[in-house]
Amino acid sequence: MIVSFSHINRLVRDLDESIDFYTTNLGFYLLRRYDRNGREGAYIGLGDVLFELGVAADMPAPTENNAGRLGLTVTDLDSVVAELRENGVGIVSEPEEMRTFDGRQAAIRDPNGYVIALREWRPPDGPHFAGWQPRHEGVVRLA
């Protein structure tokens, strides 16, 4: 039986910079760092999900189509965005009302160029709320 996510993998150009970014700005913790046959990597975690970072110095920059986008839940979007801005984190999009869930979302960029969505749910909507109905023109619930 599958019960949860184990880990998500992300290639990074600079392991130290990436660990620092995620632990300092986004509340991740460093679980372990390793060298496997001359290739460094690390597991950083948020809650019970591990984010495995593997070095790929020659990796291409992520494209603007948001390939590899990561989404994080926040409880006070305005405060989080303000703090990240003060820390010099690049803001990709300011907080705005969303159309496919009840709440707001902003986006930032990590040192590798990946976009990270910051989502603030508006109760009762959330990851386990089955009763969501669209409130915006042009959005239709299909399932």
Side-chain angles (χ1 to χ4, degrees):
M1 173 181 3
I2 298 172
V3 296
S4 70
F5 279 97
S6 164
H7 69 286
I8 299 166
N9 191 295
R10 167 79 29 104
L11 294 176
V12 299
R13 288 186 285 271
D14 183 309
L15 190 59
D16 290 322
E17 179 183 44
S18 296
I19 290 170
D20 182 61
F21 176 83
Y22 283 93
T23 59
T24 300
N25 294 300
L26 302 179
F28 283 68
Y29 59 90
L30 176 61
L31 178 65
R32 63 183 63 125
R33 188 173 177 158
Y34 58 85
D35 182 307
R36 186 180 66 210
N37 300 320
R39 191 163 181 186
E40 283 192 74
Y43 285 106
I44 58 174
L46 185 64
D48 292 333
V49 178
L50 295 177
F51 203 38
E52 184 176 12
L53 305 176
V55 176
D58 59 346
M59 68 175 251
T63 62
E64 288 300 316
N65 69 1
N66 296 325
R69 179 178 272 225
L70 178 69
L72 302 176
T73 300
V74 303
T75 57
D76 184 345
L77 185 60
D78 294 321
S79 293
V80 170
V81 169
E83 183 178 336
L84 292 169
R85 183 177 280 115
E86 285 177 17
N87 290 346
V89 174
I91 308 298
V92 173
S93 63
E94 296 292 333
E96 62 182 319
E97 291 290 319
M98 299 310 293
R99 296 181 174 277
T100 58
F101 69 92
D102 288 334
R104 299 184 315 140
Q105 185 167 293
I108 60 173
R109 193 173 306 278
D110 84 355
N112 302 284
Y114 293 109
V115 172
I116 300 169
L118 305 172
R119 179 173 287 187
E120 178 184 68
W121 296 95
R122 181 178 298 117
D125 202 2
H128 302 285
F129 180 64
W132 173 79
Q133 292 298 319
R135 297 182 302 130
H136 301 280
E137 187 175 322
V139 179
V140 177
R141 181 176 176 155
L142 300 177

